[in-house]
Amino acid sequence: MERIQKILNHPLYQEQFKLLQDAEKDREFCRHTMEHFVDVARLMYIYTLEEKTNVSKELIYAAALLHDIGRYEQISLGTPHHISGARIADEIMTFCDFSKEEVIQVAEAIAGHRKESSEEDSLLAKYLYRADKQSRNCFACPAIKECNWSDTKKNLALFY
């Protein structure tokens, strides 16, 4: 997991994460905090254990830590965060000793994490989509009535 620590310590990651935290400091719901990123990683890892699949723990954590890192660009420039996130992930992972194949796999999962996965998607992409949705505790959110998500997008159940 040394490469994951390198991601967290990478100057671009730290800069983008801080910008995002500052931009969302007054947001009432669904902030993109480190808790969210780590919750997504843990859920993804649980899926690999439950389904007895062979998805790398490091790729799981890389995808989870980087999947919403493009949110600041979406807020400031209007660039969809899954597009900017995939680009930022590529730049960061390249300098953190990930192979080109690993970078591509994570970038593709990030680029597709906003749409429901299909049969062609990798397990990493499927797990990222599922964990991103399940990590949100909408059913217990005090701002649920003010939320702009439709009920079909909200996580209204504790268990799936």
Side-chain angles (χ1 to χ4, degrees), residues 82 108 111-118 121 125 129-130 133:
H82 61 288
E108 285 177 353
H113 88 273
R114 299 214 7 133
K115 65 171 181 60
E116 192 156 357
S117 56
S118 67
D121 290 327
Y129 171 81
R130 196 165 121 205
K133 301 301 173 222

Side-chain angles (χ1 to χ4, degrees), residues 81-129:
H81 80 276
H82 61 288
I83 303 299
S84 55
R87 180 187 48 74
I88 293 168
D90 186 312
E91 187 174 339
I92 292 171
M93 290 178 70
T94 299
F95 288 97
C96 296
D97 302 326
F98 287 88
S99 71
K100 191 61 183 167
E101 295 78 25
E102 290 172 318
V103 172
I104 290 169
Q105 192 176 358
V106 169
E108 285 177 353
I110 292 169
H113 88 273
R114 299 214 7 133
K115 65 171 181 60
E116 192 156 357
S117 56
S118 67
E119 288 299 316
E120 299 85 47
D121 290 327
S122 68
L123 282 174
L124 186 66
K126 290 176 184 179
Y127 290 163
L128 180 57
Y129 171 81

Side-chain angles (χ1 to χ4, degrees), residues 9-153:
N9 292 329
H10 193 280
L12 180 57
Y13 186 84
Q14 291 181 350
E15 172 193 35
Q16 289 297 309
F17 186 75
K18 181 172 182 351
L19 288 168
L20 177 57
Q21 298 312 293
D22 291 345
E24 291 188 343
K25 71 178 180 254
D26 296 327
R27 191 173 173 168
E28 291 184 50
F29 49 86
C30 292
R31 282 195 214 128
H32 296 87
T33 63
M34 187 56 65
E35 289 81 11
H36 170 61
F37 295 158
V38 173
D39 284 348
V40 170
R42 289 176 178 150
L43 284 168
M44 291 173 70
Y45 192 61
I46 288 168
Y47 303 152
T48 65
L49 297 174
E50 287 180 342
E51 297 176 12
K52 297 178 177 63
T53 57
N54 191 21
V55 180
S56 161
K57 186 176 180 181
E58 278 193 310
L59 293 186
I60 286 169
Y61 273 81
L65 291 173
L66 292 162
H67 82 283
D68 281 334
I69 202 66
R71 292 275 309 152
Y72 178 73
E73 284 191 16
Q74 182 171 329
I75 294 165
S76 63
L77 303 174
T79 308
H81 80 276
H82 61 288
I83 303 299
S84 55
R87 180 187 48 74
I88 293 168
D90 186 312
E91 187 174 339
I92 292 171
M93 290 178 70
T94 299
F95 288 97
C96 296
D97 302 326
F98 287 88
S99 71
K100 191 61 183 167
E101 295 78 25
E102 290 172 318
V103 172
I104 290 169
Q105 192 176 358
V106 169
E108 285 177 353
I110 292 169
H113 88 273
R114 299 214 7 133
K115 65 171 181 60
E116 192 156 357
S117 56
S118 67
E119 288 299 316
E120 299 85 47
D121 290 327
S122 68
L123 282 174
L124 186 66
K126 290 176 184 179
Y127 290 163
L128 180 57
Y129 171 81
R130 196 165 121 205
D132 192 30
K133 301 301 173 222
Q134 277 188 288
S135 68
R136 299 298 188 177
N137 298 321
C138 303
F139 56 87
C141 180
I144 193 167
K145 291 190 184 336
E146 292 82 34
C147 181
N148 60 0
W149 279 8
S150 68
D151 283 348
T152 58
K153 289 179 83 175

